[in-house]
C-alpha cells in the first residue's frame, strides 16, 4: 500500500523541473540538416506540450535549451498563423524539432532518459535520507532532482529554484576573431540553411544580430538591421538577393573551420558535383518561374528543387 501511494502521488509531489543542454547537444546538427524536417507545426506543438506536461518541465527552461525567446515561443505555441505551415518560419519550429531529434540520438545521456530515472526513484518510495540527488551536471543536462518531493530538496544542497549550486550553466563565449580563417569563398548553404546556422551560432556564442552584423563588416549605426531583415525572410531562397547573404554564409563557414567541424555529407557531394565551378543549390522559388506545359519541380537526393521540362 505504501508503494502504491508513492506511485499514485508522484505527479502531485513532483516539483517543476528545470533542464539545461546536455554535453554534445550540437554534435548532430549537420546530420539534422541533412535529414531534413518534415514534422507538421501542429504535430510538433503537441509534442512539446506532451513533453512539458509528462515530465513537469518548466517552459522557461525548455525555451533556454532550444534558445528561443518567449515572444517567438508564445507565437508558435498559440498558432498565430493563418496557415499552419507559415509557422515553419518561426525559429521555434527548427529549434524544437532539433531538440527531439538530438534527444533521441543521445540515448541514455538524453534529457528524457534522465527524467525517466528521476521518476523511477520518486515512485519507488525512497526517502530523502536514502536517495542521492538526481543531478548529473555537464552530462545529461537535468538541473533539478527530478521526482523528489520538495521537502527533500533542502537536504541535498539545492537552491530554492531547484538548481544545484555547482551546476550553474557556463557562460557562452563571445564570437571569436575569424579574420585569419581562410575558406573557400563559394557559397554552399542556401539562405534557409544560413538562417538555421545563424540560430545555432547564437546558441553557442554570446552574440546578437548587431554583433553578427559587425563580424561580417556592417559598420553603420545599425549593424544588426540587415541581419534582422535577412533572418525574417522565409523559404529556401528568401533573402538570397540581399547583399548580407554571402557574408553571413562565409561567417558560418569560417566558424565551421574554426571549430574544426567536418563538412556535412551534402557539402561533400556539392563540392564533387561542382568541381571548380559554382555549386548549384537548387531552383530559386523566390523568383517568378515560367512553367511550360508538362513542366514541374522535383527534388533530388540532396533535397534541391530542379525544374523539369516534362519532355
Amino acid at each position: 500500500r505504501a508503494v502504491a501511494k508513492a506511485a499514485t502521488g508522484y505527479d502531485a509531489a513532483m516539483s517543476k523541473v528545470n533542464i539545461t543542454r546536455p554535453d554534445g547537444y550540437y554534435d548532430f546538427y549537420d546530420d539534422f540538416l541533412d535529414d531534413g524536417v518534415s514534422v507538421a507545426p501542429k504535430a510538433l506543438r503537441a509534442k512539446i506540450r506532451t513533453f512539458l506536461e509528462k515530465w513537469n518541465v518548466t517552459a522557461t527552461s525548455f525555451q533556454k535549451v532550444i534558445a528561443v525567446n518567449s515572444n517567438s515561443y508564445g507565437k508558435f505555441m498559440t498558432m498565430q498563423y493563418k496557415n499552419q505551415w507559415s509557422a515553419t518560419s518561426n525559429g521555434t519550429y527548427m529549434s524544437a524539432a532539433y531538440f527531439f531529434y538530438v534527444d533521441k540520438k543521445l540515448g541514455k545521456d538524453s534529457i528524457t532518459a534522465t527524467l525517466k530515472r528521476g521518476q523511477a526513484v520518486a515512485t519507488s518510495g525512497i526517502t530523502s535520507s536514502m536517495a542521492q540527488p538526481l543531478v548529473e551536471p555537464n552530462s545529461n543536462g537535468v538541473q533539478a532532482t527530478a521526482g523528489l518531493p520538495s521537502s527533500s530538496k533542502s537536504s541535498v544542497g539545492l537552491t530554492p529554484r531547484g538548481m544545484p549550486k555547482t551546476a550553474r550553466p557556463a557562460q557562452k563565449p563571445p564570437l571569436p576573431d575569424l579574420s585569419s580563417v581562410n575558406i573557400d569563398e563559394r557559397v554552399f548553404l542556401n539562405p534557409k540553411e544560413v538562417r538555421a546556422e545563424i540560430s545555432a551560432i547564437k546558441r553557442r556564442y554570446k552574440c546578437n544580430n548587431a554583433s553578427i552584423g559587425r563580424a561580417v563588416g556592417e559598420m553603420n549605426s545599425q549593424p544588426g538591421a540587415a541581419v534582422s531583415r535577412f533572418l525574417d525572410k522565409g523559404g529556401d531562397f528568401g533573402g538570397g538577393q540581399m547583399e548580407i547573404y554571402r557574408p553571413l554564409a562565409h561567417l558560418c563557414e569560417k566558424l565551421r573551420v574554426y571549430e574544426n567541424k567536418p563538412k556535412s555529407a551534402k557539402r561533400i557531394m556539392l563540392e564533387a558535383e561542382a568541381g571548380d565551378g559554382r555549386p548549384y543549390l537548387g531552383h530559386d522559388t523566390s523568383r517568378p518561374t515560367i512553367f511550360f506545359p508538362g513542366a514541374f519541380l522535383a527534388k533530388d537526393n540532396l533535397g534541391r528543387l530542379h525544374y523539369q521540362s516534362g519532355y
Side-chain angles (χ1 to χ4, degrees):
R1 180 179 297 177
V3 173
K5 183 177 180 180
T8 56
Y10 170 72
D11 288 337
M14 191 175 85
S15 297
K16 284 287 186 179
V17 175
N18 291 315
I19 59 175
T20 56
R21 295 188 201 110
D23 285 347
Y25 185 80
Y26 293 115
D27 290 352
F28 304 94
Y29 198 74
D30 285 340
D31 293 339
F32 171 72
L33 292 177
D34 288 341
D35 291 346
V37 185
S38 59
V39 62
K42 185 177 180 180
L44 181 59
R45 193 176 298 110
K47 198 169 184 178
I48 294 170
R49 290 199 178 104
T50 299
F51 173 80
L52 297 181
E53 293 171 6
K54 181 176 181 179
W55 303 113
N56 218 23
V57 170
T58 63
T60 300
S61 67
F62 180 75
Q63 291 168 39
K64 289 181 179 178
V65 168
I66 67 173
V68 299
N69 61 50
S70 57
N71 290 334
S72 296
Y73 178 82
K75 184 176 181 180
F76 181 81
M77 295 302 291
T78 54
M79 191 55 180
Q80 297 178 24
Y81 302 92
K82 292 182 179 179
N83 183 308
Q84 75 149 330
W85 289 102
S86 297
T88 58
S89 63
N90 186 312
T92 304
Y93 174 76
M94 286 291 286
S95 297
Y98 181 69
F99 172 86
F100 292 108
Y101 179 89
V102 76
D103 201 56
K104 184 177 181 179
K105 290 283 188 180
L106 288 174
K108 64 182 180 62
D109 293 323
S110 69
I111 290 175
T112 299
T114 304
L115 291 168
K116 287 180 180 178
R117 290 195 290 271
Q119 185 184 58
V121 170
T123 58
S124 66
I126 295 176
T127 63
S128 59
S129 60
M130 298 165 58
Q132 295 297 317
L134 299 176
V135 179
E136 297 175 15
N138 302 322
S139 174
N140 51 41
V142 174
Q143 288 188 325
T145 50
L148 290 182
S150 58
S151 59
S152 68
K153 291 186 177 179
S154 60
S155 65
V156 294
L158 298 181
T159 65
R161 292 287 298 170
M163 182 184 290
K165 294 178 181 177
T166 59
R168 300 290 185 181
Q171 186 175 8
K172 291 186 289 187
L175 279 174
D177 180 6
L178 303 172
S179 57
S180 62
V181 178
N182 295 317
I183 61 169
D184 181 340
E185 294 194 354
R186 292 178 296 174
V187 173
F188 292 90
L189 299 173
N190 67 35
K192 182 178 180 179
E193 291 167 335
V194 170
R195 281 188 281 274
E197 286 293 331
I198 294 297
S199 295
I201 289 169
K202 288 179 177 180
R203 293 191 288 268
R204 297 197 302 274
Y205 296 95
K206 185 179 181 180
C207 59
N208 54 26
N209 291 349
S211 56
I212 290 173
R214 286 191 290 269
V216 297
E218 292 289 310
M219 296 303 179
N220 53 47
S221 59
Q222 294 183 312
V227 178
S228 298
R229 288 194 294 271
F230 176 79
L231 296 179
D232 285 341
K233 299 294 183 180
D236 287 354
F237 289 92
Q241 307 307 311
M242 296 176 66
E243 291 183 4
I244 196 73
Y245 165 48
R246 288 183 65 86
L248 288 176
H250 289 161
L251 173 70
C252 297
E253 175 62 7
K254 285 188 174 185
L255 272 173
R256 185 194 67 78
V257 174
Y258 175 84
E259 295 172 346
N260 199 29
K261 287 186 174 181
K263 296 176 182 178
S264 67
K266 181 178 179 179
R267 164 68 180 272
I268 293 171
M269 294 178 71
L270 284 173
E271 285 183 337
E273 179 185 88
D276 295 329
R278 180 181 176 182
Y280 177 68
L281 302 180
H283 182 79
D284 187 351
T285 54
S286 69
R287 293 181 172 184
T289 301
I290 298 176
F291 285 91
F292 292 98
F296 61 96
L297 294 175
K299 283 190 175 182
D300 62 12
N301 63 326
L302 294 181
R304 299 173 300 181
L305 281 174
H306 287 263
Y307 182 90
Q308 304 289 329
S309 66
Y311 295 104

